[in-house]
Amino acid sequence: MTGNYQGAVVSQSIVSAVCDGADLVYVVGSSLPLKSIGKHYLGNCPFCGEEEFAVSEIHSFYHCFHCEASGTALTFLMAAKDMTFREAVAYLGKLQGLEFPEGWAK
């Protein structure tokens, strides 16, 4: 099965493996300070600036209770870092030691 995003065909198995193995706390924490509160991490939302941004390490999901922004490591990179779908997949893969063919993310 493949998914089509902005004209680029990407294997769903590659995307699933990369997303399943992503460390959301590391990805988000590389962009903004997070404070550990029990099983969750809190910080200022990179989208609206409010202090209502939560990251769940267990569920690999982020959510802002003010602006309602939410998603995964993949969607965070696309929204907060303005990466394309392929760039975000390649970035997450690289963090996990996966190699993609040169030019694949373009």
Side-chain angles (χ1 to χ4, degrees):
M1 174 181 263
T2 59
N4 191 327
Y5 187 83
Q6 295 181 345
V9 177
V10 178
S11 166
Q12 186 62 44
S13 62
I14 292 172
V15 173
S16 294
V18 168
C19 290
D20 290 347
D23 182 345
L24 180 63
V25 173
Y26 177 81
V27 170
V28 174
S30 296
S31 297
L32 56 107
L34 294 174
K35 189 182 308 180
S36 177
I37 307 291
K39 296 179 181 179
H40 301 283
Y41 293 80
L42 302 177
N44 289 358
C45 178
F47 309 110
C48 71
E50 294 295 322
E51 295 181 15
E52 299 181 29
F53 188 75
V55 178
S56 172
E57 184 173 30
I58 296 168
H59 298 0
S60 294
F61 193 79
Y62 69 86
H63 181 78
C64 176
F65 294 94
H66 181 77
C67 72
E68 300 296 318
S70 61
T72 63
L74 184 67
T75 59
F76 180 84
L77 291 171
M78 291 171 62
K81 295 295 190 180
D82 199 30
M83 290 184 179
T84 66
F85 179 77
R86 282 183 169 225
E87 288 170 338
V89 170
Y91 176 83
L92 292 173
K94 185 176 181 179
L95 290 176
Q96 298 170 54
L98 302 175
E99 293 185 29
F100 290 86
E102 188 173 327
W104 184 86
K106 303 276 182 217

